Amino acid sequence: MNTPLSLVVLISGNGSNLQALLDAIADGRMQARIAAVISNRPDAFGLERAKAAGIATAVLDHKAYTDRDSYDAALAALIADYRPDLVILAGFMRILTPALIQRFAGRMLNIHPSLLPKYPGLHTHRRALEAGEAEHGCTIHTVTAELDGGPILAQASCPIETGDDEASLAAKVRVLEHRLYPEVIQGFAEGRFPL
């Protein structure tokens, strides 16, 4: 692909996966450019990461909207303004409406901290530990109307070791996430995943 993929990244918090994408672009592992970073929380530290990298940022605070449909309509319009090839969910803690998902169908990716279909939703590390799993990891999938249920594009796993707790397991999975997300996006850039 001659021109880098254009990305819009949606965040709600720290933005560690956003930083992994910025690093992958900077060192040439990912042929993409981030057109904008959008957050639903004005205090998200990921906005500072984006600003430090010279990337446009926008805050669309969900608390300013009376319902999910009106918020997602505004969010869809804002995303569309940047004409992204891919919409990247990187810790965006909102359940999206079917209308928003349909608008970017096949072009919206999410990273989830479990080996889906196991443990969709929240508290994945605790649930994996409580179930006595031997391994845990992360999944990148295409977003569909089913929560954490879209087609799986890639997974990475690590062993759960004696003495692991939620914090240590989360740290191990985060390392996997930071490697895998740029790899998958680069796969789109190289045409290994169809757009």
Short mmCIF file of all heavy atoms in Angstrom, two decimals, residues 61-92:
data_model
loop_
_atom_site.label_atom_id
_atom_site.label_comp_id
_atom_site.label_asym_id
_atom_site.label_seq_id
_atom_site.Cartn_x
_atom_site.Cartn_y
_atom_site.Cartn_z
N ASP A 61 -17.78 14.41 25.29
CA ASP A 61 -18.15 13.93 26.63
C ASP A 61 -19.55 13.34 26.60
O ASP A 61 -20.53 14.03 26.30
CB ASP A 61 -18.07 15.09 27.62
CG ASP A 61 -18.18 14.63 29.07
OD1 ASP A 61 -18.68 13.52 29.32
OD2 ASP A 61 -17.77 15.41 29.95
N HIS A 62 -19.63 12.05 26.91
CA HIS A 62 -20.94 11.37 26.86
C HIS A 62 -21.91 11.95 27.89
O HIS A 62 -23.12 11.85 27.71
CB HIS A 62 -20.77 9.86 27.07
CG HIS A 62 -20.18 9.49 28.39
ND1 HIS A 62 -18.82 9.47 28.61
CD2 HIS A 62 -20.75 9.13 29.56
CE1 HIS A 62 -18.59 9.11 29.85
NE2 HIS A 62 -19.74 8.90 30.45
N LYS A 63 -21.40 12.61 28.93
CA LYS A 63 -22.28 13.17 29.95
C LYS A 63 -23.07 14.37 29.43
O LYS A 63 -24.05 14.78 30.04
CB LYS A 63 -21.46 13.59 31.17
CG LYS A 63 -20.84 12.41 31.90
CD LYS A 63 -19.97 12.87 33.04
CE LYS A 63 -19.31 11.67 33.71
NZ LYS A 63 -18.30 12.09 34.69
N ALA A 64 -22.64 14.91 28.29
CA ALA A 64 -23.34 16.06 27.72
C ALA A 64 -24.52 15.65 26.84
O ALA A 64 -25.22 16.51 26.30
CB ALA A 64 -22.36 16.90 26.90
N TYR A 65 -24.76 14.34 26.73
CA TYR A 65 -25.83 13.84 25.86
C TYR A 65 -26.87 13.12 26.70
O TYR A 65 -26.55 12.46 27.69
CB TYR A 65 -25.25 12.90 24.80
CG TYR A 65 -24.41 13.65 23.79
CD1 TYR A 65 -23.09 14.01 24.08
CD2 TYR A 65 -24.94 14.03 22.56
CE1 TYR A 65 -22.32 14.73 23.18
CE2 TYR A 65 -24.18 14.75 21.65
CZ TYR A 65 -22.88 15.09 21.97
OH TYR A 65 -22.12 15.81 21.07
N THR A 66 -28.11 13.24 26.27
CA THR A 66 -29.20 12.67 27.07
C THR A 66 -29.35 11.17 26.88
O THR A 66 -29.90 10.49 27.74
CB THR A 66 -30.54 13.34 26.71
OG1 THR A 66 -30.75 13.21 25.29
CG2 THR A 66 -30.54 14.81 27.09
N ASP A 67 -28.88 10.63 25.75
CA ASP A 67 -29.02 9.19 25.53
C ASP A 67 -27.89 8.69 24.63
O ASP A 67 -27.16 9.46 24.01
CB ASP A 67 -30.39 8.85 24.94
CG ASP A 67 -30.65 9.55 23.62
OD1 ASP A 67 -29.81 9.45 22.71
OD2 ASP A 67 -31.71 10.21 23.50
N ARG A 68 -27.77 7.39 24.60
CA ARG A 68 -26.70 6.72 23.85
C ARG A 68 -26.81 6.98 22.35
O ARG A 68 -25.81 7.18 21.66
CB ARG A 68 -26.75 5.23 24.16
CG ARG A 68 -25.55 4.45 23.68
CD ARG A 68 -25.65 2.98 24.09
NE ARG A 68 -25.72 2.80 25.53
CZ ARG A 68 -24.66 2.74 26.32
NH1 ARG A 68 -23.45 2.88 25.83
NH2 ARG A 68 -24.80 2.54 27.61
N ASP A 69 -28.04 6.98 21.82
CA ASP A 69 -28.22 7.17 20.38
C ASP A 69 -27.73 8.54 19.92
O ASP A 69 -27.05 8.65 18.89
CB ASP A 69 -29.69 6.99 19.99
CG ASP A 69 -30.13 5.53 20.05
OD1 ASP A 69 -29.28 4.64 19.91
OD2 ASP A 69 -31.34 5.29 20.26
N SER A 70 -28.07 9.59 20.67
CA SER A 70 -27.65 10.94 20.26
C SER A 70 -26.14 11.08 20.40
O SER A 70 -25.48 11.72 19.55
CB SER A 70 -28.39 12.01 21.05
OG SER A 70 -28.16 11.88 22.43
N TYR A 71 -25.56 10.49 21.43
CA TYR A 71 -24.11 10.54 21.59
C TYR A 71 -23.42 9.83 20.43
O TYR A 71 -22.48 10.37 19.82
CB TYR A 71 -23.67 9.91 22.92
CG TYR A 71 -22.17 9.92 23.07
CD1 TYR A 71 -21.50 11.06 23.49
CD2 TYR A 71 -21.41 8.79 22.76
CE1 TYR A 71 -20.11 11.08 23.60
CE2 TYR A 71 -20.03 8.81 22.87
CZ TYR A 71 -19.39 9.95 23.28
OH TYR A 71 -18.02 9.98 23.38
N ASP A 72 -23.87 8.63 20.12
CA ASP A 72 -23.21 7.86 19.07
C ASP A 72 -23.40 8.50 17.70
O ASP A 72 -22.52 8.39 16.84
CB ASP A 72 -23.70 6.41 19.07
CG ASP A 72 -22.95 5.55 20.09
OD1 ASP A 72 -22.24 6.13 20.94
OD2 ASP A 72 -23.06 4.32 20.02
N ALA A 73 -24.51 9.18 17.48
CA ALA A 73 -24.70 9.89 16.21
C ALA A 73 -23.68 11.01 16.08
O ALA A 73 -23.07 11.21 15.01
CB ALA A 73 -26.12 10.44 16.11
N ALA A 74 -23.46 11.74 17.17
CA ALA A 74 -22.45 12.81 17.17
C ALA A 74 -21.05 12.23 17.02
O ALA A 74 -20.21 12.78 16.29
CB ALA A 74 -22.56 13.63 18.45
N LEU A 75 -20.79 11.11 17.68
CA LEU A 75 -19.48 10.47 17.59
C LEU A 75 -19.22 9.97 16.16
O LEU A 75 -18.12 10.17 15.62
CB LEU A 75 -19.39 9.32 18.59
CG LEU A 75 -18.07 8.53 18.60
CD1 LEU A 75 -16.89 9.44 18.91
CD2 LEU A 75 -18.16 7.39 19.61
N ALA A 76 -20.22 9.37 15.54
CA ALA A 76 -20.06 8.88 14.17
C ALA A 76 -19.75 10.02 13.22
O ALA A 76 -18.88 9.90 12.34
CB ALA A 76 -21.33 8.14 13.73
N ALA A 77 -20.43 11.13 13.39
CA ALA A 77 -20.18 12.29 12.52
C ALA A 77 -18.76 12.83 12.73
O ALA A 77 -18.07 13.19 11.77
CB ALA A 77 -21.21 13.38 12.79
N LEU A 78 -18.32 12.87 13.99
CA LEU A 78 -16.98 13.36 14.29
C LEU A 78 -15.92 12.43 13.69
O LEU A 78 -14.95 12.89 13.07
CB LEU A 78 -16.81 13.48 15.81
CG LEU A 78 -15.46 13.99 16.31
CD1 LEU A 78 -15.12 15.36 15.73
CD2 LEU A 78 -15.46 14.03 17.84
N ILE A 79 -16.09 11.14 13.87
CA ILE A 79 -15.15 10.18 13.28
C ILE A 79 -15.10 10.36 11.77
O ILE A 79 -14.02 10.42 11.16
CB ILE A 79 -15.55 8.73 13.63
CG1 ILE A 79 -15.40 8.47 15.13
CG2 ILE A 79 -14.71 7.73 12.82
CD1 ILE A 79 -16.03 7.16 15.60
N ALA A 80 -16.27 10.44 11.14
CA ALA A 80 -16.35 10.53 9.68
C ALA A 80 -15.65 11.76 9.14
O ALA A 80 -15.12 11.73 8.02
CB ALA A 80 -17.81 10.48 9.24
N ASP A 81 -15.62 12.85 9.91
CA ASP A 81 -14.94 14.07 9.49
C ASP A 81 -13.47 13.82 9.15
O ASP A 81 -12.89 14.50 8.31
CB ASP A 81 -15.00 15.14 10.59
CG ASP A 81 -16.37 15.83 10.66
OD1 ASP A 81 -17.16 15.68 9.70
OD2 ASP A 81 -16.63 16.49 11.67
N TYR A 82 -12.86 12.82 9.81
CA TYR A 82 -11.44 12.52 9.60
C TYR A 82 -11.20 11.49 8.50
O TYR A 82 -10.06 11.18 8.18
CB TYR A 82 -10.80 12.06 10.91
CG TYR A 82 -10.76 13.15 11.95
CD1 TYR A 82 -11.71 13.21 12.97
CD2 TYR A 82 -9.78 14.14 11.91
CE1 TYR A 82 -11.67 14.22 13.93
CE2 TYR A 82 -9.73 15.15 12.86
CZ TYR A 82 -10.68 15.18 13.86
OH TYR A 82 -10.64 16.19 14.81
N ARG A 83 -12.27 10.92 7.95
CA ARG A 83 -12.21 9.96 6.83
C ARG A 83 -11.20 8.83 7.08
O ARG A 83 -10.30 8.58 6.27
CB ARG A 83 -11.88 10.69 5.54
CG ARG A 83 -12.90 11.77 5.19
CD ARG A 83 -12.46 12.62 4.02
NE ARG A 83 -12.25 11.81 2.83
CZ ARG A 83 -13.18 11.54 1.92
NH1 ARG A 83 -14.39 12.02 2.06
NH2 ARG A 83 -12.91 10.80 0.87
N PRO A 84 -11.34 8.11 8.21
CA PRO A 84 -10.35 7.07 8.52
C PRO A 84 -10.55 5.80 7.70
O PRO A 84 -11.68 5.46 7.32
CB PRO A 84 -10.61 6.79 10.00
CG PRO A 84 -12.08 7.04 10.17
CD PRO A 84 -12.37 8.22 9.26
N ASP A 85 -9.44 5.11 7.45
CA ASP A 85 -9.52 3.76 6.90
C ASP A 85 -9.99 2.79 7.98
O ASP A 85 -10.75 1.87 7.72
CB ASP A 85 -8.16 3.32 6.36
CG ASP A 85 -7.69 4.17 5.21
OD1 ASP A 85 -8.47 4.32 4.23
OD2 ASP A 85 -6.56 4.70 5.26
N LEU A 86 -9.47 2.99 9.20
CA LEU A 86 -9.83 2.14 10.33
C LEU A 86 -10.16 3.00 11.54
O LEU A 86 -9.53 4.04 11.77
CB LEU A 86 -8.67 1.21 10.71
CG LEU A 86 -8.28 0.10 9.74
CD1 LEU A 86 -7.01 -0.60 10.22
CD2 LEU A 86 -9.42 -0.90 9.58
N VAL A 87 -11.13 2.54 12.34
CA VAL A 87 -11.44 3.13 13.63
C VAL A 87 -10.93 2.15 14.68
O VAL A 87 -11.34 0.99 14.70
CB VAL A 87 -12.95 3.38 13.80
CG1 VAL A 87 -13.24 4.00 15.16
CG2 VAL A 87 -13.47 4.26 12.67
N ILE A 88 -10.04 2.62 15.54
CA ILE A 88 -9.33 1.77 16.50
C ILE A 88 -9.85 2.06 17.91
O ILE A 88 -9.67 3.17 18.41
CB ILE A 88 -7.81 2.02 16.43
CG1 ILE A 88 -7.28 1.85 15.01
CG2 ILE A 88 -7.08 1.14 17.43
CD1 ILE A 88 -7.45 0.47 14.43
N LEU A 89 -10.47 1.08 18.52
CA LEU A 89 -10.90 1.23 19.92
C LEU A 89 -9.72 0.81 20.80
O LEU A 89 -9.26 -0.34 20.71
CB LEU A 89 -12.12 0.36 20.21
CG LEU A 89 -13.35 0.59 19.32
CD1 LEU A 89 -14.52 -0.24 19.80
CD2 LEU A 89 -13.74 2.05 19.24
N ALA A 90 -9.23 1.72 21.60
CA ALA A 90 -8.07 1.46 22.45
C ALA A 90 -8.42 1.86 23.87
O ALA A 90 -8.04 2.93 24.35
CB ALA A 90 -6.85 2.23 21.92
N GLY A 91 -9.19 1.00 24.53
CA GLY A 91 -9.65 1.32 25.88
C GLY A 91 -10.77 2.34 25.87
O GLY A 91 -10.84 3.19 26.76
N PHE A 92 -11.64 2.26 24.88
CA PHE A 92 -12.82 3.14 24.82
C PHE A 92 -13.95 2.44 25.56
O PHE A 92 -14.48 1.43 25.08
CB PHE A 92 -13.20 3.40 23.36
CG PHE A 92 -14.25 4.48 23.19
CD1 PHE A 92 -14.01 5.78 23.58
CD2 PHE A 92 -15.48 4.17 22.61
CE1 PHE A 92 -14.97 6.78 23.41
CE2 PHE A 92 -16.45 5.16 22.43
CZ PHE A 92 -16.19 6.46 22.84
#
